[in-house]
Amino acid sequence: MRLARFSCCAVAGLLPWLNAQPPAPASADGVVLHSVTSEPLPQVQVGFQLITERTPGRPGPRAIGAITDSSGHFHVEALEPGDYRVIIHKENFGVPRAMTASLRMKVGSTPVTNLRFLLQPRAVLFGNVVDDFGDPIAGAFLQAFRRITSRGASSDIVSGFGGATDDLGRFRITGVEPGRYLVHAIQTYSREVLYPTQGGPLTAYVATFAPSTLDPLRADIFEARAGEETGPIAITLQRVPVFAVRGRLVDSSGGPPGPFSVSLRSAHNIAFYTQPAYSHTNPDGAFELLGVPAGDWVITAMLQQRSSGARPNISARIAVSQSDVEGVVLRAAPPVIVTGAVSLEGSKPDWRQVVVAIRPAGASVFSDASINQVRADGTFELTCSGYGSARVEVIGRPAAGTYVASITAGSADLTARSFPLEQGLGAPLRITFRSGAASIQGRTDSRRPASVLLWPADPDAREPQPLARAETDAAGAFSFSDLAPGSYFLYAVAPEDPIAFGRAELPAPADLDQRGTRVKLESGASNNVVIPILEGS
Amino acid sequence: MRTALLLLACCAVRAQYGPCTAEGTVTREGDGAPIPRARIFFNAPARLRTVVLGFISDDQGRFTATALDPTAYSIAVQKPGLLASSHSAARADLSRDCHKTGLALKLTPAAILSGRISVPPGSTPEGSRVEVLKRIWMGGRWQFRPAAAGTSGEGGEYRISNVPAGSYLLRAQPPASSSFSFRSAGGPELFVSPSYYPGVLSPAQARNIAVDAGAELAGLDFALLSTPLYRVSGKILSSEGLKAPAWCTVLLRSNPPGLQHEARYQASDGTFSFPTVAPGEYDLLAVSAESTNFGSAARRIVINNGDLESLDIALEPPVPVLFKAILPNSAASGSGIEVSLRPLSSRTLDQEPVALPSNGKVKLFAFVRERYRIELKTKQSNLYLRSVLAAGRPLPSFVVDYSRPDAPDELTLEIAADGAVIEGTASGLSGISRCFAVLVPSDLSRLADAALLTTPISIDGRFRFTSVPPGDYLVYAFFQPLSDAFDLQPMLQEPGWVPTFKGLPLTVTAAPGSTVRIQLNAQPAP
């Protein structure tokens, strides 16, 4: 707390609260129920915390709460009017993901009644971590990875739960949402240590998936069930040869780029990476990364100087095998600007609902994948940078029942095709919408959860990655909407199947035509399907 | 945004490492038993772009370190359940002896403390942070710093390992989910409060736990306490019979530090109130800085089991201090020199620095009669405070004590223009830590009361010191896990940790007016 010297005091302005009548406090009551059995939950903490701007150095506002009684009911008093965050807590339970939006509410001067909150029993993952000698590892950091769907789009690998080992190498990850997980350990206290070997390469302990693999596609998958404990999960932390990656960053003229930093991330589409032990850069552009295990990586150089508020960065994919990698050159070049326009045949469009994006296709890596909203006049402009194949993605629809009929740039049809980014398009993009979108409603035949991938039936229109992806609910139900009329293949895999786990390269299955479920959509129609979950693809 | 084009060269060149070696043994202190599979880490802060090299002892506790450079290394040893002994070798200088033998590394058993945290009905014990606290002198008073910590699991069980021998207090903090107060129908407002073993609210009532090396102390069960919140209120009495100031900041700061409340103050009658305060020990601070009515007061209060009301807090006028600065000719106009009196204890408030006008004279006020350090802040990186004179005599470490009746009310500031800049990068930073760089004058005999220059290290490892007085320095880069909530930077600024710290610094000479660029490896904070 600092004292402003000779601060000016305007008494009338200083103490308005003395004269104003504060609004009467309100109350809130409701019930907390088990999300599966719907039984009332006693001894649950329910707190209401006023959402205010925090002053640095001061504790946040205290929440006012109550504890549910034997019938799951709570009653909270003395709530000042305002916006609140509701905090609900009971050991071994958590708020279902779909309910988190309901935990913010506005309280006025009248009582808030009949609130209903659900708590979901959580699971526990437990186990132990040892090193390559079988000795327990204390202080290893554990993460449980589960694939979820973000904003209805293709799934991302995220880590929502973690823990650490004790001095005996044991861990317990509690409060885990039911689902299927990969579990991964990393040694924190000596992650930057390199171990020389006699006559061999340097080695280091690296992030390891249960039971003892660096490759998430080979890792064991563990099912966390509500109210149950899963384990023991045994992880043997791997010590593997590590190598150096050296190179140079140059700007478009070949000159030094100025101060910058470099980082590495896994080329797998999984939200983790093993940070190399050391990262050194020089303003003349030379860089060196030490302690990099073999594998596919994306190296990113980030320039210190800022341009238009954005920090320029340059990314590229590299492969590290059994030796150091020398002579990597990252070259900055002018960005690619894509302009275009959208049109709709028929209905009146609301272009504010439409967003156009340029995304990497296949194994391409972009420094910045651009996304921008279409303007009211139907035009748009994107700026992106990267190398390799790119594709146009259109998110949202200008009117109900419309679909993307075509995406062209001059004579090139990009509707289901990628284009080489560094060459640009050569012509503005034209995106045409039409009315008469079709949809698919379906479920898996076993009524189990799955990831459902959609490909065009025409092999010539087929890209390695699916046209669309949908996650089923717990009972296996899914839907696709806003589809162009035509024929498609549906292909369902278990949620944690390696293909569904977000692998960047998704080969269209060789037997898609035999094992996938074909669907023919007419204009404006909705088809119902039941499809099998294909195992072991 | 820029595109990238990747060109790969296919030649593979393995990293070159040094020709030196070091051999030794890892044994248990006391009985000398060999420690197999201990990890030995060699860290050379002085070597540009060096890495931390690790080696593993064999079944007889022997190790051979290879690929070392001919430079000085600090050595750390790790084995779960054991701690480095104070008698363990911590350094090896290979600059003169490239093949060192006979390194004796000793480990001593670490203690384990375990127990169960219980909580009031309706609260959950899981996630309570349990800290093993040792007393340190910092900020002009005894405070507590965690020597080890753990988090309680389901059911409230906790287990804290790697505890050095010593005397400690145990403290449990409720999980974040318990940070709200409860009111049952018609009942008082209750709050789950941090507590100390064996289940008390105040460290003064806590029981000291004596921990021997290697001991396993189980059954250290205690409860988080549900406490009523109390009201603290009173009246500000202005100095010299004047009416209460129209504006006054009244604060309650907890002891140990962690909580701060600000009172509602009524200028009409000078009354203040804190409506909901948990029991404990606090410093009550009142400061008014009106142009015609200013003063301050500090008082230690203890809240036990009832409201504290009718406190009369009499403001005392501050001590005016006139500063006269001797500016070098090279000080640019607009160099933005600011002077401040920084309190050495937390029983008063920091003040905003005051700009030094062109005539070099400014008056500041010492609110609360405590010890202060005179500090200079400037935009010009070569300016620094060379000395502070009171009646022609230099003040050691620029510290003045205004609790003494003979404290000087006029001080002369000698500002020099040959300061240096030290900038650099620290490597080996864990991705989940806070990081600081520290400059320690290499003449350790002059450390008492000195303020060490510290600066945060950015996420990409960069740091910069400006206005560095010329001289020789030891430079350290430290990291602190984010899970350690202790406010490390103030501790690093006080020299108390320096004499016993065993890590290896980088030695730097800051020549007058120079810019020194360095690279060093980070190490765990003391």
Side-chain angles (χ1 to χ4, degrees), chain A residues 2 5 45 58 62-63 65 89 91 131 135 167 172 174 189 194 205 278 314 317 324 331 333 368 385, chain B residues 2-4 6 13-15 37 39 52 54 78 122-124 126 154-155 159 180-181 189 262 351 363:
Chain A
R2 285 194 168 263
R5 185 169 184 269
Q45 288 181 350
R58 300 229 185 137
R62 209 176 64 251
H89 192 77
E91 196 171 354
D131 63 15
D135 290 335
D167 59 305
R172 287 179 69 81
T174 61
Y189 68 79
L194 302 181
Y205 287 94
Y278 300 93
I314 301 94
R317 182 189 285 260
D324 296 345
R331 189 182 302 277
D368 289 288
S385 57
Chain B
R2 300 177 185 214
T3 58
L6 172 67
V13 177
R14 203 156 68 78
R37 298 187 302 282
R39 308 294 163 135
V52 177
Q78 283 182 358
S123 299
T124 176
E126 184 183 0
E154 312 132 281
R159 179 185 171 92
F180 42 99
S181 59
E189 190 175 2
E262 184 168 355
Q351 295 180 53
K363 186 184 284 186

Short mmCIF file of all heavy atoms in Angstrom, two decimals, chain A residues 2 5 45 58 62-63 65 89 91 131 135 167 172 174 189 194 205 278 314 317 324 331 333 368 385, chain B residues 2-4 6 13-15 37 39 52 54 78 122-124 126 154-155 159 180-181 189 262 351 363:
data_model
loop_
_atom_site.label_atom_id
_atom_site.label_comp_id
_atom_site.label_asym_id
_atom_site.label_seq_id
_atom_site.Cartn_x
_atom_site.Cartn_y
_atom_site.Cartn_z
N ARG A 2 0.70 2.12 -0.90
CA ARG A 2 1.53 3.31 -0.96
C ARG A 2 0.72 4.53 -0.60
O ARG A 2 -0.48 4.62 -0.82
CB ARG A 2 2.08 3.46 -2.37
CG ARG A 2 3.20 2.45 -2.64
CD ARG A 2 3.95 2.82 -3.88
NE ARG A 2 5.15 2.03 -3.97
CZ ARG A 2 6.34 2.46 -3.57
NH1 ARG A 2 6.47 3.67 -3.06
NH2 ARG A 2 7.39 1.71 -3.68
N ARG A 5 1.69 11.39 -1.51
CA ARG A 5 2.07 12.51 -0.68
C ARG A 5 1.14 13.67 -0.91
O ARG A 5 0.84 14.04 -2.03
CB ARG A 5 3.51 12.88 -1.03
CG ARG A 5 4.10 13.94 -0.17
CD ARG A 5 5.60 14.05 -0.42
NE ARG A 5 6.22 15.02 0.46
CZ ARG A 5 6.37 16.29 0.17
NH1 ARG A 5 5.94 16.73 -0.99
NH2 ARG A 5 6.92 17.13 1.00
N GLN A 45 -20.49 -27.36 0.55
CA GLN A 45 -20.27 -25.92 0.70
C GLN A 45 -20.82 -25.20 -0.52
O GLN A 45 -20.47 -25.54 -1.65
CB GLN A 45 -18.78 -25.61 0.76
CG GLN A 45 -18.09 -26.01 2.00
CD GLN A 45 -16.61 -25.62 1.94
OE1 GLN A 45 -16.11 -25.22 0.89
NE2 GLN A 45 -15.94 -25.74 3.04
N ARG A 58 -4.20 -6.97 -2.44
CA ARG A 58 -5.28 -7.13 -1.47
C ARG A 58 -5.98 -8.44 -1.75
O ARG A 58 -6.14 -8.85 -2.89
CB ARG A 58 -6.29 -6.01 -1.61
CG ARG A 58 -5.70 -4.65 -1.40
CD ARG A 58 -6.54 -3.85 -0.46
NE ARG A 58 -6.01 -2.50 -0.39
CZ ARG A 58 -6.79 -1.44 -0.39
NH1 ARG A 58 -8.07 -1.56 -0.49
NH2 ARG A 58 -6.24 -0.25 -0.29
N ARG A 62 -14.47 -11.80 -0.03
CA ARG A 62 -14.80 -13.03 0.66
C ARG A 62 -16.13 -13.52 0.15
O ARG A 62 -17.00 -12.74 -0.16
CB ARG A 62 -14.87 -12.75 2.15
CG ARG A 62 -14.51 -13.94 3.02
CD ARG A 62 -14.51 -13.57 4.48
NE ARG A 62 -15.82 -13.19 4.94
CZ ARG A 62 -16.15 -11.94 5.26
NH1 ARG A 62 -15.28 -10.98 5.15
NH2 ARG A 62 -17.36 -11.65 5.68
N ALA A 63 -16.32 -14.82 0.05
CA ALA A 63 -17.59 -15.37 -0.37
C ALA A 63 -18.43 -15.61 0.87
O ALA A 63 -17.91 -15.88 1.95
CB ALA A 63 -17.37 -16.67 -1.14
N GLY A 65 -21.37 -18.01 2.38
CA GLY A 65 -21.86 -19.32 2.02
C GLY A 65 -22.67 -20.00 3.07
O GLY A 65 -22.94 -19.45 4.14
N HIS A 89 -18.56 -26.88 -3.42
CA HIS A 89 -17.45 -27.78 -3.13
C HIS A 89 -17.87 -28.90 -2.21
O HIS A 89 -18.48 -28.67 -1.17
CB HIS A 89 -16.29 -26.99 -2.50
CG HIS A 89 -15.04 -27.80 -2.44
ND1 HIS A 89 -14.25 -28.02 -3.54
CD2 HIS A 89 -14.46 -28.46 -1.43
CE1 HIS A 89 -13.24 -28.79 -3.18
NE2 HIS A 89 -13.35 -29.06 -1.92
N GLU A 91 -15.96 -32.85 -1.20
CA GLU A 91 -14.85 -33.75 -1.48
C GLU A 91 -15.30 -34.87 -2.41
O GLU A 91 -16.38 -35.43 -2.25
CB GLU A 91 -14.33 -34.34 -0.17
CG GLU A 91 -12.97 -34.96 -0.28
CD GLU A 91 -12.41 -35.32 1.10
OE1 GLU A 91 -13.05 -34.97 2.10
OE2 GLU A 91 -11.35 -35.94 1.13
N ASP A 131 12.30 -44.48 -11.50
CA ASP A 131 13.25 -44.15 -12.55
C ASP A 131 13.72 -45.43 -13.22
O ASP A 131 13.20 -46.52 -12.96
CB ASP A 131 14.41 -43.31 -11.99
CG ASP A 131 15.23 -44.07 -10.95
OD1 ASP A 131 15.10 -45.31 -10.84
OD2 ASP A 131 16.00 -43.41 -10.23
N ASP A 135 14.05 -46.93 -8.70
CA ASP A 135 13.94 -46.14 -7.48
C ASP A 135 12.77 -45.17 -7.61
O ASP A 135 12.53 -44.61 -8.68
CB ASP A 135 15.23 -45.34 -7.24
CG ASP A 135 16.39 -46.23 -6.85
OD1 ASP A 135 16.13 -47.34 -6.31
OD2 ASP A 135 17.54 -45.83 -7.07
N ASP A 167 7.46 -38.59 -1.40
CA ASP A 167 8.84 -39.05 -1.30
C ASP A 167 8.98 -40.54 -1.61
O ASP A 167 10.08 -41.03 -1.82
CB ASP A 167 9.40 -38.76 0.11
CG ASP A 167 8.57 -39.42 1.20
OD1 ASP A 167 7.35 -39.17 1.24
OD2 ASP A 167 9.15 -40.16 2.00
N ARG A 172 -1.60 -39.52 -6.29
CA ARG A 172 -3.04 -39.67 -6.38
C ARG A 172 -3.56 -38.43 -7.08
O ARG A 172 -3.35 -37.31 -6.61
CB ARG A 172 -3.69 -39.79 -4.99
CG ARG A 172 -3.45 -41.11 -4.30
CD ARG A 172 -4.11 -41.13 -2.92
NE ARG A 172 -5.56 -41.16 -3.00
CZ ARG A 172 -6.28 -42.26 -3.21
NH1 ARG A 172 -5.68 -43.41 -3.41
NH2 ARG A 172 -7.59 -42.20 -3.23
N THR A 174 -6.84 -36.66 -7.83
CA THR A 174 -8.23 -36.72 -7.36
C THR A 174 -9.10 -35.73 -8.12
O THR A 174 -8.59 -34.90 -8.89
CB THR A 174 -8.30 -36.41 -5.86
OG1 THR A 174 -7.80 -35.08 -5.65
CG2 THR A 174 -7.48 -37.38 -5.06
N TYR A 189 12.42 -31.52 -10.66
CA TYR A 189 13.57 -30.89 -10.01
C TYR A 189 14.83 -30.98 -10.83
O TYR A 189 15.76 -30.22 -10.64
CB TYR A 189 13.79 -31.44 -8.60
CG TYR A 189 14.23 -32.89 -8.53
CD1 TYR A 189 15.54 -33.26 -8.74
CD2 TYR A 189 13.32 -33.89 -8.21
CE1 TYR A 189 15.94 -34.58 -8.67
CE2 TYR A 189 13.71 -35.21 -8.13
CZ TYR A 189 15.01 -35.55 -8.36
OH TYR A 189 15.38 -36.87 -8.28
N LEU A 194 21.49 -32.89 -17.88
CA LEU A 194 21.89 -33.81 -18.93
C LEU A 194 22.91 -34.79 -18.35
O LEU A 194 23.82 -34.38 -17.63
CB LEU A 194 22.51 -33.05 -20.11
CG LEU A 194 21.60 -31.98 -20.75
CD1 LEU A 194 22.31 -31.31 -21.92
CD2 LEU A 194 20.28 -32.58 -21.20
N TYR A 205 16.21 -37.34 -18.56
CA TYR A 205 14.89 -37.86 -18.23
C TYR A 205 13.84 -36.99 -18.93
O TYR A 205 13.89 -35.76 -18.81
CB TYR A 205 14.66 -37.85 -16.72
CG TYR A 205 15.47 -38.93 -16.02
CD1 TYR A 205 16.72 -38.65 -15.48
CD2 TYR A 205 14.97 -40.22 -15.92
CE1 TYR A 205 17.46 -39.64 -14.85
CE2 TYR A 205 15.71 -41.22 -15.29
CZ TYR A 205 16.96 -40.92 -14.77
OH TYR A 205 17.69 -41.90 -14.15
N TYR A 278 17.94 -26.58 -22.48
CA TYR A 278 18.56 -25.26 -22.64
C TYR A 278 18.21 -24.67 -23.99
O TYR A 278 18.13 -25.37 -24.98
CB TYR A 278 20.08 -25.36 -22.50
CG TYR A 278 20.46 -25.88 -21.14
CD1 TYR A 278 20.66 -27.23 -20.95
CD2 TYR A 278 20.52 -25.02 -20.05
CE1 TYR A 278 20.95 -27.72 -19.70
CE2 TYR A 278 20.82 -25.50 -18.80
CZ TYR A 278 21.03 -26.85 -18.62
OH TYR A 278 21.29 -27.33 -17.37
N ILE A 314 8.07 -17.27 -35.98
CA ILE A 314 8.32 -18.12 -37.14
C ILE A 314 8.40 -19.55 -36.65
O ILE A 314 9.14 -19.85 -35.71
CB ILE A 314 9.65 -17.73 -37.83
CG1 ILE A 314 9.62 -16.27 -38.29
CG2 ILE A 314 9.92 -18.64 -39.00
CD1 ILE A 314 10.19 -15.27 -37.32
N ARG A 317 8.73 -27.24 -38.79
CA ARG A 317 8.78 -28.60 -38.26
C ARG A 317 10.18 -29.16 -38.47
O ARG A 317 10.79 -28.96 -39.51
CB ARG A 317 7.75 -29.46 -38.98
CG ARG A 317 7.66 -30.88 -38.49
CD ARG A 317 6.77 -31.68 -39.41
NE ARG A 317 5.38 -31.36 -39.20
CZ ARG A 317 4.55 -32.10 -38.48
NH1 ARG A 317 4.98 -33.19 -37.89
NH2 ARG A 317 3.29 -31.76 -38.35
N ASP A 324 22.69 -34.90 -33.43
CA ASP A 324 22.40 -33.47 -33.40
C ASP A 324 21.91 -33.02 -34.78
O ASP A 324 22.26 -33.60 -35.81
CB ASP A 324 23.65 -32.67 -33.03
CG ASP A 324 24.14 -32.97 -31.63
OD1 ASP A 324 23.38 -33.57 -30.85
OD2 ASP A 324 25.29 -32.61 -31.32
N ARG A 331 13.57 -18.71 -41.87
CA ARG A 331 13.64 -17.46 -42.62
C ARG A 331 12.30 -16.75 -42.52
O ARG A 331 11.26 -17.31 -42.86
CB ARG A 331 13.98 -17.74 -44.08
CG ARG A 331 14.29 -16.50 -44.90
CD ARG A 331 14.57 -16.86 -46.36
NE ARG A 331 15.67 -17.80 -46.48
CZ ARG A 331 16.96 -17.47 -46.49
NH1 ARG A 331 17.31 -16.20 -46.38
NH2 ARG A 331 17.89 -18.39 -46.60
N ALA A 333 9.65 -14.13 -43.79
CA ALA A 333 9.27 -13.62 -45.11
C ALA A 333 7.98 -12.83 -44.96
O ALA A 333 7.29 -12.95 -43.96
CB ALA A 333 9.09 -14.77 -46.08
N ASP A 368 1.19 -18.15 -37.78
CA ASP A 368 -0.07 -17.55 -37.33
C ASP A 368 -1.16 -17.98 -38.28
O ASP A 368 -1.13 -17.61 -39.46
CB ASP A 368 0.02 -16.02 -37.34
CG ASP A 368 0.92 -15.52 -36.24
OD1 ASP A 368 0.52 -15.60 -35.08
OD2 ASP A 368 2.05 -15.08 -36.55
N SER A 385 0.78 -16.56 -41.99
CA SER A 385 2.15 -16.88 -42.37
C SER A 385 2.41 -18.34 -42.05
O SER A 385 1.86 -18.88 -41.11
CB SER A 385 3.15 -15.99 -41.64
OG SER A 385 2.97 -16.12 -40.24
N ARG B 2 4.99 -13.54 -39.88
CA ARG B 2 5.90 -13.86 -40.97
C ARG B 2 5.83 -15.32 -41.30
O ARG B 2 5.63 -16.17 -40.47
CB ARG B 2 7.32 -13.52 -40.54
CG ARG B 2 7.41 -12.04 -40.21
CD ARG B 2 8.75 -11.69 -39.71
NE ARG B 2 8.72 -10.29 -39.30
CZ ARG B 2 9.74 -9.48 -39.43
NH1 ARG B 2 10.85 -9.91 -39.92
NH2 ARG B 2 9.65 -8.23 -39.03
N THR B 3 6.04 -15.58 -42.55
CA THR B 3 6.10 -16.98 -42.95
C THR B 3 7.50 -17.49 -42.70
O THR B 3 8.43 -16.75 -42.47
CB THR B 3 5.78 -17.14 -44.44
OG1 THR B 3 6.72 -16.35 -45.17
CG2 THR B 3 4.38 -16.66 -44.73
N ALA B 4 7.64 -18.77 -42.75
CA ALA B 4 8.95 -19.36 -42.50
C ALA B 4 9.26 -20.34 -43.59
O ALA B 4 8.38 -21.02 -44.12
CB ALA B 4 8.96 -20.07 -41.15
N LEU B 6 11.93 -23.46 -44.19
CA LEU B 6 12.87 -24.26 -43.44
C LEU B 6 13.86 -24.90 -44.38
O LEU B 6 13.50 -25.52 -45.36
CB LEU B 6 12.11 -25.35 -42.67
CG LEU B 6 12.98 -26.39 -42.00
CD1 LEU B 6 13.78 -25.75 -40.88
CD2 LEU B 6 12.13 -27.51 -41.44
N VAL B 13 26.52 -33.13 -35.99
CA VAL B 13 27.72 -32.90 -35.19
C VAL B 13 27.33 -33.00 -33.73
O VAL B 13 26.44 -32.32 -33.26
CB VAL B 13 28.31 -31.50 -35.47
CG1 VAL B 13 29.53 -31.26 -34.58
CG2 VAL B 13 28.67 -31.38 -36.93
N ARG B 14 27.96 -33.88 -33.00
CA ARG B 14 27.60 -34.02 -31.60
C ARG B 14 28.17 -32.86 -30.81
O ARG B 14 29.23 -32.33 -31.08
CB ARG B 14 28.14 -35.33 -31.08
CG ARG B 14 27.37 -35.81 -29.85
CD ARG B 14 27.50 -37.32 -29.71
NE ARG B 14 28.85 -37.71 -29.37
CZ ARG B 14 29.34 -37.61 -28.13
NH1 ARG B 14 28.63 -37.10 -27.17
NH2 ARG B 14 30.57 -38.01 -27.86
N ALA B 15 27.43 -32.48 -29.76
CA ALA B 15 27.86 -31.37 -28.91
C ALA B 15 29.21 -31.69 -28.29
O ALA B 15 29.49 -32.82 -27.92
CB ALA B 15 26.83 -31.14 -27.82
N ARG B 37 23.15 -44.83 -6.16
CA ARG B 37 22.19 -44.18 -7.08
C ARG B 37 21.75 -42.80 -6.58
O ARG B 37 20.60 -42.41 -6.71
CB ARG B 37 20.98 -45.10 -7.31
CG ARG B 37 21.38 -46.41 -7.99
CD ARG B 37 20.17 -47.22 -8.37
NE ARG B 37 19.30 -47.54 -7.25
CZ ARG B 37 19.55 -48.49 -6.38
NH1 ARG B 37 20.64 -49.23 -6.47
NH2 ARG B 37 18.69 -48.72 -5.39
N ARG B 39 22.03 -38.78 -7.17
CA ARG B 39 22.25 -37.94 -8.35
C ARG B 39 23.19 -36.81 -7.96
O ARG B 39 22.95 -36.12 -6.98
CB ARG B 39 20.92 -37.33 -8.84
CG ARG B 39 19.82 -38.36 -9.03
CD ARG B 39 20.12 -39.30 -10.12
NE ARG B 39 19.28 -40.49 -10.06
CZ ARG B 39 18.68 -41.02 -11.11
NH1 ARG B 39 18.80 -40.43 -12.28
NH2 ARG B 39 17.97 -42.10 -10.98
N VAL B 52 23.81 -28.10 -16.89
CA VAL B 52 24.00 -28.84 -15.65
C VAL B 52 24.17 -30.30 -16.04
O VAL B 52 23.30 -30.88 -16.70
CB VAL B 52 22.80 -28.67 -14.71
CG1 VAL B 52 23.00 -29.53 -13.46
CG2 VAL B 52 22.62 -27.21 -14.32
N GLY B 54 24.68 -34.24 -15.00
CA GLY B 54 24.31 -35.12 -13.90
C GLY B 54 25.01 -36.45 -14.00
O GLY B 54 25.31 -36.94 -15.10
N GLN B 78 21.44 -35.24 -4.79
CA GLN B 78 20.03 -35.53 -4.46
C GLN B 78 19.83 -37.02 -4.32
O GLN B 78 20.31 -37.80 -5.14
CB GLN B 78 19.11 -34.99 -5.54
CG GLN B 78 18.91 -33.50 -5.45
CD GLN B 78 17.95 -33.01 -6.50
OE1 GLN B 78 17.48 -33.77 -7.32
NE2 GLN B 78 17.69 -31.71 -6.49
N GLY B 122 -18.74 -29.44 7.17
CA GLY B 122 -19.09 -28.81 5.91
C GLY B 122 -17.89 -28.40 5.09
O GLY B 122 -18.00 -28.18 3.89
N SER B 123 -16.74 -28.28 5.72
CA SER B 123 -15.54 -27.94 4.95
C SER B 123 -14.86 -29.22 4.51
O SER B 123 -15.14 -30.30 5.02
CB SER B 123 -14.57 -27.14 5.81
OG SER B 123 -15.16 -25.94 6.23
N THR B 124 -13.99 -29.10 3.56
CA THR B 124 -13.27 -30.27 3.10
C THR B 124 -11.81 -30.14 3.47
O THR B 124 -11.22 -29.08 3.31
CB THR B 124 -13.44 -30.46 1.58
OG1 THR B 124 -12.65 -31.56 1.17
CG2 THR B 124 -12.98 -29.24 0.83
N GLU B 126 -9.32 -31.78 2.09
CA GLU B 126 -8.40 -32.00 0.99
C GLU B 126 -7.94 -30.67 0.42
O GLU B 126 -8.72 -29.75 0.23
CB GLU B 126 -9.09 -32.81 -0.12
CG GLU B 126 -8.15 -33.17 -1.26
CD GLU B 126 -8.85 -33.89 -2.39
OE1 GLU B 126 -10.06 -34.12 -2.28
OE2 GLU B 126 -8.16 -34.21 -3.37
N GLU B 154 -7.16 -36.51 0.35
CA GLU B 154 -8.52 -36.80 0.80
C GLU B 154 -8.46 -37.24 2.25
O GLU B 154 -7.53 -37.91 2.67
CB GLU B 154 -9.13 -37.92 -0.02
CG GLU B 154 -8.96 -37.74 -1.51
CD GLU B 154 -8.47 -38.99 -2.16
OE1 GLU B 154 -7.25 -39.27 -2.06
OE2 GLU B 154 -9.28 -39.72 -2.74
N GLY B 155 -9.43 -36.85 3.03
CA GLY B 155 -9.41 -37.22 4.43
C GLY B 155 -8.48 -36.36 5.25
O GLY B 155 -8.43 -36.50 6.47
N ARG B 159 1.72 -35.53 4.32
CA ARG B 159 3.04 -36.12 4.53
C ARG B 159 4.05 -35.16 3.94
O ARG B 159 4.00 -34.87 2.75
CB ARG B 159 3.12 -37.48 3.85
CG ARG B 159 4.45 -38.20 3.99
CD ARG B 159 4.44 -39.49 3.16
NE ARG B 159 5.75 -40.10 3.09
CZ ARG B 159 6.20 -41.01 3.93
NH1 ARG B 159 5.42 -41.44 4.93
NH2 ARG B 159 7.40 -41.52 3.80
N PHE B 180 -14.44 -18.77 2.31
CA PHE B 180 -15.60 -17.93 2.54
C PHE B 180 -16.18 -18.19 3.92
O PHE B 180 -15.91 -19.19 4.54
CB PHE B 180 -16.66 -18.05 1.45
CG PHE B 180 -16.95 -19.43 0.94
CD1 PHE B 180 -18.04 -20.15 1.40
CD2 PHE B 180 -16.18 -19.99 -0.04
CE1 PHE B 180 -18.33 -21.39 0.89
CE2 PHE B 180 -16.47 -21.25 -0.54
CZ PHE B 180 -17.55 -21.94 -0.08
N SER B 181 -16.95 -17.23 4.33
CA SER B 181 -17.52 -17.30 5.67
C SER B 181 -18.91 -17.93 5.59
O SER B 181 -19.56 -17.90 4.55
CB SER B 181 -17.61 -15.90 6.27
OG SER B 181 -18.42 -15.08 5.46
N GLU B 189 -21.28 -15.11 12.05
CA GLU B 189 -20.57 -15.36 10.80
C GLU B 189 -19.25 -16.05 11.15
O GLU B 189 -18.49 -15.56 11.99
CB GLU B 189 -20.32 -14.04 10.09
CG GLU B 189 -19.81 -14.20 8.68
CD GLU B 189 -19.69 -12.87 7.97
OE1 GLU B 189 -19.99 -11.84 8.59
OE2 GLU B 189 -19.29 -12.86 6.80
N GLU B 262 -8.57 -2.76 5.12
CA GLU B 262 -8.63 -1.31 5.17
C GLU B 262 -9.94 -0.90 5.82
O GLU B 262 -11.01 -1.45 5.49
CB GLU B 262 -8.52 -0.70 3.77
CG GLU B 262 -8.48 0.83 3.80
CD GLU B 262 -8.09 1.43 2.47
OE1 GLU B 262 -7.76 0.67 1.54
OE2 GLU B 262 -8.13 2.67 2.36
N GLN B 351 6.19 5.00 0.85
CA GLN B 351 5.75 6.27 0.29
C GLN B 351 6.16 6.34 -1.16
O GLN B 351 7.12 5.71 -1.58
CB GLN B 351 6.42 7.43 1.04
CG GLN B 351 6.00 7.53 2.50
CD GLN B 351 6.68 8.69 3.16
OE1 GLN B 351 6.63 9.82 2.70
NE2 GLN B 351 7.36 8.43 4.26
N LYS B 363 11.97 18.16 0.45
CA LYS B 363 11.65 17.76 1.82
C LYS B 363 10.76 16.52 1.79
O LYS B 363 9.76 16.49 1.06
CB LYS B 363 10.93 18.90 2.54
CG LYS B 363 10.70 18.61 4.02
CD LYS B 363 9.91 19.71 4.70
CE LYS B 363 10.75 20.93 4.96
NZ LYS B 363 10.02 21.96 5.75
#
